[in-house]
């Protein structure tokens, strides 16, 4: 070796030694205390830690110029890395109905698909926390194996009004059902070693003016309805993160509200994770930091400047910044990225699709079944309606999933041996192809999938169709998504063409003593009153994910006995909705304020209390068998610390099935207005064979008796008589028992925060 080369080797070795010596000066995350890590950061590094690393464009088919997403193309964002301190960048991705990442990658011929699961409303319609957990586990598998650390899900705002464009992502009009189902999903996802971000916290119940709308809501309605779902999930499932919403609540943006994010979420509920903003939410960045909104996503350069100016001026303390950095680092320590997990990019998509199929089938709701129309024998089927061949499987926006395939209803029925009229199928496929060719091309994920015009069948044509078929299945579709709300006339109500199609098909088939089944492939509540009498059977399939056709065929055939129940009320007309007169707010042209005048009387709480007849009530759902509820017992007639409830459910029919048991409670309402009854607990039985019984048990605690008393800033159980009501829906109550509470119980005293910024009159029974 030459002298010159020896000198170069020695010099290189010395440089390496110097570099190693310098690295040893810096503490390392995971080895040294977090406080030491933070002390070693510069102010600029701390500010970088509380904001994302930016967001570029994504098409679903792969990254485009300027895309910032790190190792997972199509992810929603990443955090900043500080390599000298051993802090990696972690990956966040969308996904209420499945992981949303790009399918294609640069210089890679492989496609990276994920599973499109049923929408949130469909999962909730199962009323089955075990199924919800299994869906979460399947999602968690894909999150983990695709290199994502945190999924921005589940979404659990209240379905306050049927017109909310993102209701499909949400679970229910009821916070107890929503809270426990979301908790099950969170547990399932996080069991795989990855995190969740429950959203949108809070009172994000519309898309119109979502970036600036001020939701004016009473303290009581806020606590009992709009925060309760999140509270249940936080306490039961311990999500890693919470996402604050775009809107204001009582005058303050949620991402800037210390009362919401710190006083309630952390101090009262004990949340110990991190809070992140929704993407580009809020206005005052230093106020977000102070409020305890730890991570500002997806990250903007202006945030650095504004936060630094606030610290230098003393308007924001560095201690507040350090607090938020600490919470972020604590979450990073949990992630697969920090543990250097070697993700496979090969999740178990086959198994996960099976889970999606099971969940979709169990979430299907049987609304009507005259003369035991369903299940169908292996007859020749006239399959009508565009969605029968081109199904809506999910909504648009951040809830959209890039899947490998979609099973149509025709495919699902064919697989089970049904004879679907091929001439009709060919006509529909050609019609759909022609209509799609003239539709404007979608340019972004917020653009809706448009409804295509239906085929204009003549009555003679339909008479011929009926002659050549044994039964008609007609599918009606609806789709919605992020960025806009639904329209009453064009979306909630069926069009005259759709109603005429149902009517004409019914006339043609009924004239030949043949049945008509209507399948609703819908994103949320629609009108059924104007046309339901024409149908012999009605199924709600919701937006059922990529296994749509298989799941629907499973129920139509009887392979799966439908056991789904409604999670929101179907009204007789839209005007009956308690929020209808106030949605989406004022002024009408560009709403800035949404006043929640209905108070706590949301959904069935309103219909039952004010005796407004629904088309189908909350909790409603039929089966191919019948169930009996027997022998309701209470452990005591006088409530003290808690009370045990038990009853027996028996399958009285001829086929195996599952039943949803719903426990409602009526409370004394002398001191404050209270709904006639409120859901407090629920359970789904196992699959019961004919004649088989199952004993169901519930525990009622003092917190279940309590309402929020604004004047006392406390959850109070009022003395008096309570009625336990157990049934198959909010109206179908099968068994009741009463008990008494001798004295008032102050269950929990809370902080006086988030009072309405303006005065308004709430709905009242008085």
């Amino acid at each position: 070796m030459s002298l010159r080369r020896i000198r170069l080797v020695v010099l290189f070795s010395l440089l390496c030694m110097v570099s190693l010596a310098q690295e040893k000066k810096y503490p390392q995350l995971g080895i040294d205390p977090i406080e030491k890590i933070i002390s070693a950061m510069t102010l600029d590094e701390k500010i970088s830690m509380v904001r994302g690393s930016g967001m570029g464009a994504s098409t679903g088919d792969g990254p485009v110029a300027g895309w910032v997403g790190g190792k997972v193309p199509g992810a929603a964002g990443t955090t900043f890395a500080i390599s000298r301190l051993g802090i990696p960048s972690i990956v966040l991705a969308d996904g209420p109905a499945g992981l949303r990442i790009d399918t294609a990658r640069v210089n890679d011929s492989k496609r990276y698909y994920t599973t499109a699961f049923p929408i949130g409303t469909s999962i909730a319609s199962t009323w089955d926390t075990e199924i919800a957990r299994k869906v979460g586990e399947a999602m968690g598998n894909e999150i983990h194996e695709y290199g994502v650390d945190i999924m921005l899900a589940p979404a659990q705002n209240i379905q306050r009004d049927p017109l909310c464009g993102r209701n499909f992502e949400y679970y229910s009009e009821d916070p107890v059902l929503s809270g426990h189902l979301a908790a099950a999903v969170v547990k399932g996802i996080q069991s795989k070693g990855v995190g969740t971000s429950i959203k949108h916290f809070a009172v994000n119940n519309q898309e119109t003016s979502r970036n600036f709308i001020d939701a004016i809501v009473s303290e009581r309605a806020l606590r009992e309805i709009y925060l309760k779902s999140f509270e249940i999930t936080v306490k039961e499932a311990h999500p890693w993160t919470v996402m604050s919403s775009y809107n204001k609540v009582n005058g303050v943006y949620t991402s800037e509200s210390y009362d919401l994010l710190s006083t309630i979420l952390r101090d009262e509920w004990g949340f110990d994770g991190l809070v992140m903003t929704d993407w580009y939410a809020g206005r005052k960045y230093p106020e977000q930091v102070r409020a305890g909104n730890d991570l500002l996503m997806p990250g903007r350069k202006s945030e650095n400047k504004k936060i630094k100016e606030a610290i230098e001026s003393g308007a924001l303390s560095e201690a507040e910044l350090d607090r938020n950095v600490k919470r972020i680092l604590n979450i990073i320590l949990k992630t697969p990225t920090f543990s250097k997990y070697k993700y496979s990019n090969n999740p178990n998509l086959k198994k996960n699709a099976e889970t999606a199929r099971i969940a979709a089938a169990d979430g299907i709701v049987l609304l009507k079944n005259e003369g035991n129309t369903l299940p169908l024998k292996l007859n020749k089927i006239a399959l009508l309606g565009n969605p029968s061949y081109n199904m809506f499987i999910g909504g648009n926006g951040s809830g959209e999933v890039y899947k490998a395939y979609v099973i149509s209803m025709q495919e699902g029925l064919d697989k089970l041996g049904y004879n679907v009229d091929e001439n009709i199928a060919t006509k529909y496929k050609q019609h759909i192809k022609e209509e799609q060719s003239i539709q404007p091309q979608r340019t972004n994920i917020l653009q809706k999938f448009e409804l295509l015009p239906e085929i204009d069948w003549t009555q003679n044509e339909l008479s011929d169709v009926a002659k050549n078929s044994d039964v008609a299945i007609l599918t009606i579709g609806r789709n919605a998504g992020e960025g806009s709300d639904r329209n009453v006339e064009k979306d909630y109500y069926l069009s005259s063409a759709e109603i005429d199609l149902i009517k004409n098909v019914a006339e043609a088939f009924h004239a030949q003593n043949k049945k008509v089944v209507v399948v609703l492939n819908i994103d949320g509540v629609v009108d059924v009153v104007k046309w339901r009498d024409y149908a012999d059977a009605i199924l709600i399939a919701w937006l059922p994910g990529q296994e749509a056709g298989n799941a629907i065929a499973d129920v139509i055939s009887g392979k799966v006995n439908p056991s789904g129940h409604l999670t929101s009320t179907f009204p007789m007309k839209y005007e009956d909705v308690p929020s209808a007169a106030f949605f989406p707010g004022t002024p009408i042209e560009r709403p800035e304020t949404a006043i929640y005048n209905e108070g706590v009387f949301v959904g069935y709480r309103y219909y039952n209390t004010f005796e407004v007849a629904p088309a189908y009530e909350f909790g409603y759902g039929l089966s191919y068998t019948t169930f009996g509820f027997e022998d309701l017992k209470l452990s005591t007639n006088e409530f003290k610390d808690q009370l045990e409830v038990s009853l027996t459910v028996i399958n009285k029919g001829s086929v195996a099935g599952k039943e949803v048991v719903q426990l409602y409670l009526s409370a004394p309402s002398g001191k404050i207005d209270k709904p006639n009854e409120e859901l407090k607990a629920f359970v789904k039985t196992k699959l019961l064979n004919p004649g088989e019984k199952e004993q169901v048990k519930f525990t009622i605690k003092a917190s279940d008796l309590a309402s929020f008393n604004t004047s006392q800033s406390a959850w109070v159980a009022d003395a008096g008589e309570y009625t336990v009501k157990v049934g198959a829906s909010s109206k179908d109550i099968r068994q009741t028992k009463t008990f008494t509470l001798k004295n008032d119980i102050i269950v929990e005293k809370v902080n006086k925060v988030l009072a309405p910024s303006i005065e308004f009159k709430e709905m009242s029974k008085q």
Side-chain angles (χ1 to χ4, degrees), residues 633-644:
K633 293 179 180 177
L634 307 183
S635 60
T636 177
N637 293 325
E638 185 176 318
F639 186 91
K640 291 183 181 178
D641 297 322
Q642 62 181 41
L643 182 148
E644 304 298 326

Side-chain angles (χ1 to χ4, degrees), residues 53-358:
S53 60
M55 181 182 183
S58 171
T59 64
D61 287 328
V64 297
W67 179 80
V68 179
K71 62 187 180 183
V72 187
T78 58
T79 61
F80 270 95
I82 305 177
S83 57
R84 69 184 182 88
L85 299 176
I87 302 172
S89 171
I90 64 171
V91 180
L92 291 68
D94 285 318
L99 181 64
R100 190 170 73 85
I101 58 174
D102 286 338
T103 60
R105 301 183 182 181
V106 176
N107 299 321
D108 189 344
S109 60
K110 181 181 176 181
R111 287 284 180 166
Y112 297 85
Y113 294 109
T114 59
T115 304
F117 293 92
I119 60 169
T121 304
S122 177
I123 298 298
S125 295
T126 69
W127 290 63
D128 191 330
T129 55
E130 185 57 33
I131 282 181
R133 183 180 178 115
K134 288 178 179 178
V135 169
E137 290 172 352
M139 288 181 178
N141 165 249
E142 297 184 16
I143 299 164
H144 199 221
E145 294 306 323
Y146 275 130
V148 174
D149 297 290
I150 295 173
M151 189 187 211
L152 307 176
Q156 55 183 110
N157 294 104
I158 294 299
Q159 295 174 346
R160 176 194 176 218
D161 191 286
L163 299 186
C164 175
R166 288 182 89 171
N167 273 349
F168 70 95
E169 292 187 32
Y170 307 148
Y171 291 106
S172 174
E173 69 186 27
D174 181 80
V176 170
L177 181 62
S178 176
H180 290 301
L181 266 296
V185 172
V186 169
K187 288 177 182 177
I189 293 173
Q190 295 189 169
S191 71
K192 299 301 181 180
V194 291
T196 58
S197 189
I198 62 173
K199 63 184 187 182
H200 312 86
F201 191 62
V203 205
N204 184 177
N205 307 114
Q206 64 188 74
E207 290 298 285
T208 302
S209 302
R210 66 174 181 171
N211 290 321
F212 54 85
I213 195 76
D214 190 2
I216 307 297
V217 57
S218 70
E219 292 175 69
R220 183 183 174 198
L222 185 64
R223 296 273 189 172
E224 289 191 16
I225 306 295
Y226 300 102
L227 297 185
K228 177 57 70 174
S229 171
F230 290 97
E231 180 181 4
I232 290 169
T233 304
V234 165
K235 292 180 176 179
E236 185 177 320
H238 309 289
W240 287 12
T241 82
V242 171
M243 181 191 292
S244 57
S245 56
Y246 287 117
N247 55 286
K248 300 175 185 176
V249 173
N250 293 332
V252 180
Y253 281 106
T254 62
S255 62
E256 300 167 13
S257 175
Y258 184 90
D259 289 340
L260 179 66
L261 304 183
S262 292
T263 303
I264 292 178
L265 179 61
R266 297 188 186 280
D267 298 343
E268 293 181 5
W269 298 355
F271 177 68
D272 61 358
L274 78 82
V275 176
M276 70 178 74
T277 64
D278 205 337
W279 269 226
Y280 302 108
R283 299 293 186 275
K284 301 175 182 177
Y285 313 137
E287 288 301 313
Q288 291 176 315
V289 173
R290 179 183 293 106
N293 207 122
D294 310 299
L295 182 60
L296 282 56
M297 292 301 294
R300 291 172 278 193
K301 291 181 180 179
S302 57
E303 292 163 348
N304 283 46
K305 179 183 177 182
K306 296 292 185 182
I307 294 171
K308 192 169 186 177
E309 287 175 351
I311 290 175
E312 290 173 344
S313 70
L316 179 68
S317 72
E318 193 165 351
E320 290 171 314
L321 183 63
D322 290 351
R323 173 201 63 191
N324 293 12
V325 171
K326 181 177 181 180
R327 291 170 182 161
I328 295 167
L329 294 179
N330 275 324
I331 293 300
I332 290 175
L333 284 168
K334 294 182 175 184
T335 62
T337 290
F338 181 78
S339 65
K340 295 181 173 59
Y341 176 70
K342 294 181 179 179
Y343 56 95
S344 66
N345 273 323
N346 189 31
N348 196 337
L349 295 179
K350 182 177 179 181
K351 180 180 178 182
N352 296 342
E354 292 171 357
T355 298
R357 177 175 181 170
I358 292 169

Side-chain angles (χ1 to χ4, degrees), residues 125-126 358 360-369 374-375 538-540 551-565 620-627 655-660 684 687:
S125 295
T126 69
I358 292 169
D362 270 33
I364 291 174
V365 181
L366 178 61
L367 286 187
K368 182 178 180 180
N369 196 25
L374 296 175
I538 304 172
L539 285 172
I540 304 181
I552 296 168
D554 286 343
V555 170
I556 284 175
S557 68
K559 181 179 178 181
V560 172
N561 189 344
S563 60
H565 286 244
Y620 177 90
L622 300 177
S623 170
Y624 296 154
T625 188
T626 57
F627 296 93
V655 296
K658 303 174 185 177
E659 178 62 301
V660 175
K684 198 166 199 175
L687 186 68

